[in-house]
Amino acid sequence: MGAIGGLIGLYGGAAFGILGWWFGRRMAKKNRGLDEIHTHIWQKARSISWYFTLAAIYVLFSLVAFGIELGVAMALGVIMIVHMSSWGITGVVMSINYSMTEPLKPSKVKLGISIAIVSIIIFTVLTITTGNWWFLLASVPPSIIGLIITSQ
């Protein structure tokens, strides 16, 4: 039964993600939001997310070097979560920054993103080492606080 739920979550999440992406682009096109700035923001966000992905890969390799066994699905899931979340967070922060009349302060942006990413990495490592997936929920409040700091 757990495998069926996992498959529903996997493909259901992908379906909702694709629908959200399609709907968002459709609405942006109606409001003339798909311009050079939009393209630049999301290309830059994708580029930055690869740095976070590289850091996550190093963390996972370090865990394996310390003797913690990781399943392939778990490692790939962590890498995908880090990549997609860092891409989304960076893109949203950059979009907000470009749309404001007074740009965000880079020090606050770096601090907020660092808080969010460090909390996600710490709670992901706790989840992997303990096997308790509820630790991932504990990473949500610090991540939200980091995003609030970023947007001020």
Side-chain angles (χ1 to χ4, degrees), residues 89-149:
I89 290 169
T90 305
V92 167
V93 168
M94 288 178 69
S95 295
I96 290 170
N97 197 25
Y98 274 102
S99 66
M100 294 177 69
T101 56
E102 183 178 324
L104 297 171
K105 295 178 178 74
S107 60
K108 284 191 175 185
V109 171
K110 289 177 185 175
L111 174 67
I113 290 176
S114 297
I115 289 171
I117 296 300
V118 167
S119 72
I120 290 170
I121 290 172
I122 288 171
F123 286 111
T124 300
V125 169
L126 278 173
T127 297
I128 291 169
T129 56
T130 63
N132 186 355
W133 289 97
W134 287 101
F135 278 115
L136 282 179
L137 289 178
S139 70
V140 173
S143 297
I144 291 172
I145 290 169
L147 292 177
I148 290 171
I149 290 171

Side-chain angles (χ1 to χ4, degrees), residues 8-152:
I8 290 171
L10 180 69
Y11 293 111
F16 278 114
I18 290 169
L19 284 173
W21 172 80
W22 175 78
F23 185 72
R25 285 193 58 88
R26 191 169 147 225
M27 294 302 293
K29 191 173 185 177
K30 282 183 181 179
N31 296 327
R32 290 191 268 175
L34 298 178
D35 54 1
E36 302 87 29
I37 293 174
H38 176 269
T39 303
H40 169 74
I41 288 171
W42 289 101
Q43 284 177 347
K44 183 77 171 174
R46 189 171 43 245
S47 174
I48 291 170
S49 72
W50 278 108
Y51 291 111
F52 288 109
T53 303
L54 181 64
I57 291 169
Y58 271 95
V59 168
L60 292 173
F61 276 141
S62 298
L63 289 174
V64 171
F66 287 122
I68 297 171
E69 292 191 27
L70 300 173
V72 174
M74 183 186 307
L76 290 174
V78 168
I79 290 170
M80 186 175 76
I81 288 170
V82 168
H83 185 73
M84 298 301 286
S85 62
S86 62
W87 180 44
I89 290 169
T90 305
V92 167
V93 168
M94 288 178 69
S95 295
I96 290 170
N97 197 25
Y98 274 102
S99 66
M100 294 177 69
T101 56
E102 183 178 324
L104 297 171
K105 295 178 178 74
S107 60
K108 284 191 175 185
V109 171
K110 289 177 185 175
L111 174 67
I113 290 176
S114 297
I115 289 171
I117 296 300
V118 167
S119 72
I120 290 170
I121 290 172
I122 288 171
F123 286 111
T124 300
V125 169
L126 278 173
T127 297
I128 291 169
T129 56
T130 63
N132 186 355
W133 289 97
W134 287 101
F135 278 115
L136 282 179
L137 289 178
S139 70
V140 173
S143 297
I144 291 172
I145 290 169
L147 292 177
I148 290 171
I149 290 171
T150 299
S151 64
Q152 291 181 352

